[in-house]
């Protein structure tokens, strides 16, 4: 059973999907703690109500010491995997390197397109027909690391940023849980910038990227 630590900054809907998967027994992982950089993050109450230990490392109180405090809090939990589930802070190269190969992020675009913020608004402004989300291993380059899974959604003619975001979020939950399941089952192999998923008999096969209508 892999030990998971989830980092959040807001409502925690992706975190909730992970907790649901743990409860359902669909991942061989246990969420040992949820940590937020914001004391007002709604996801903290949600996690606490489910009996998950929570803590806050407030970046606003001590910007200089924030990453050291966060690393100490994470390391104290001895996680096998750190999941950035809506964690809205850019982490330094030193911090990222500390958890190299065992930190996943969910990003609301089909990377490498639209790294950073306001992805849905930018996609609509560009008139794209397909948008989506990406789960990737975190590297020192922001929103740029070996891709584990992606899911696509069609952009509708009457979409605004909110409606597009809602449909993307639904598939975020699915591919994040899938990626965590593969990690917990020791099925992920990083080969440069590519990630392969080992099948049940031990060989390595190309990851099939889910494309959702």
């Amino acid at each position: 059973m892999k030990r998971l630590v989830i980092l959040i900054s807001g409502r925690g809907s992706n975190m909730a999907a992970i907790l649901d998967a743990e409860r359902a027994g669909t991942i061989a992982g246990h969420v040992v703690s949820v940590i937020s950089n914001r004391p007002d993050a709604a996801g903290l109450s949600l996690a606490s109500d489910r009996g998950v230990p929570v803590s806050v490392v407030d970046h606003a109180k001590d910007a200089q010491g924030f990453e050291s405090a966060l690393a100490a809090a994470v390391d104290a939990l001895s996680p096998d995997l750190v999941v950035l589930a809506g964690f809205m802070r850019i982490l330094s190269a030193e911090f990222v390197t500390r958890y190299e190969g065992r930190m996943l992020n969910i990003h609301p675009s089909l990377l490498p397109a639209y790294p950073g913020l306001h992805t849905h608004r930018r996609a609509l402004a560009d008139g794209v027909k397909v948008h989506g989300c990406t789960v990737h291993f975190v590297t020192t380059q922001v929103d740029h690391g070996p891709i584990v899974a992606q899911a696509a959604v069609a952009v509708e003619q009457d979409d605004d940023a909110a409606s597009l975001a809602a449909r993307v979020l639904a598939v975020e939950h699915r591919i994040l849980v899938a990626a965590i399941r593969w990690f917990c089952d020791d099925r992920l192999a990083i080969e440069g910038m590519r990630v392969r998923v080992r099948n049940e008999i031990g060989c390595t096969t190309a990851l099939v990227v889910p494309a959702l209508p």
Side-chain angles (χ1 to χ4, degrees), residues 12-24 30-31 34 43-54:
S13 68
N14 274 303
M15 174 205 72
I18 300 167
L19 295 178
D20 288 344
E22 178 185 353
R23 180 176 295 177
H30 171 54
V31 178
V34 171
L44 290 171
S45 295
L46 191 157
S48 183
D49 288 346
R50 297 192 185 199
V52 179
V54 300

Side-chain angles (χ1 to χ4, degrees), residues 2 4-5 23 25 36 71 81 90 99 118 121 135 144 148 181 184 187 191 196 201 204 212:
K2 294 288 196 296
L4 313 178
V5 169
R23 180 176 295 177
S36 177
L81 179 66
I90 294 176
Y99 305 103
H118 310 301
R121 186 173 71 197
V135 179
H144 182 85
V148 179
R181 182 172 68 249
C184 291
R187 293 179 60 192
E191 302 172 357
R196 297 186 184 272
I201 60 173
T204 301
L212 306 176

Side-chain angles (χ1 to χ4, degrees), residues 10-125:
R11 58 186 172 177
S13 68
N14 274 303
M15 174 205 72
I18 300 167
L19 295 178
D20 288 344
E22 178 185 353
R23 180 176 295 177
T26 57
I27 59 172
H30 171 54
V31 178
V32 295
S33 185
V34 171
I35 303 173
S36 177
N37 65 309
R38 295 174 55 100
D40 60 347
L44 290 171
S45 295
L46 191 157
S48 183
D49 288 346
R50 297 192 185 199
V52 179
V54 300
S55 62
V56 176
V57 180
D58 190 347
H59 70 274
K61 283 190 174 180
D62 182 10
Q64 290 292 103
F66 168 69
E67 283 199 356
S68 294
L70 181 60
V74 171
D75 288 348
L77 298 162
S78 301
D80 297 292
L81 179 66
V82 178
V83 182
L84 308 185
F87 186 69
M88 304 302 290
R89 295 291 297 176
I90 294 176
L91 297 166
S92 70
E94 181 180 1
F95 187 95
V96 169
T97 301
R98 190 185 193 100
Y99 305 103
E100 183 177 4
R102 55 191 183 105
M103 184 157 61
L104 291 175
N105 181 52
I106 179 77
H107 182 75
S109 80
L110 293 171
L111 293 174
Y114 307 115
L117 301 175
H118 310 301
T119 59
H120 311 304
R121 186 173 71 197
R122 290 156 60 197
L124 289 170

Side-chain angles (χ1 to χ4, degrees), residues 142-167:
V142 177
D143 293 333
H144 182 85
I147 292 172
V148 179
Q150 291 181 303
V153 300
V155 178
E156 305 295 343
Q157 290 189 5
D158 60 350
D159 265 331
D160 58 18
S163 63
L164 183 56
R167 291 206 312 285

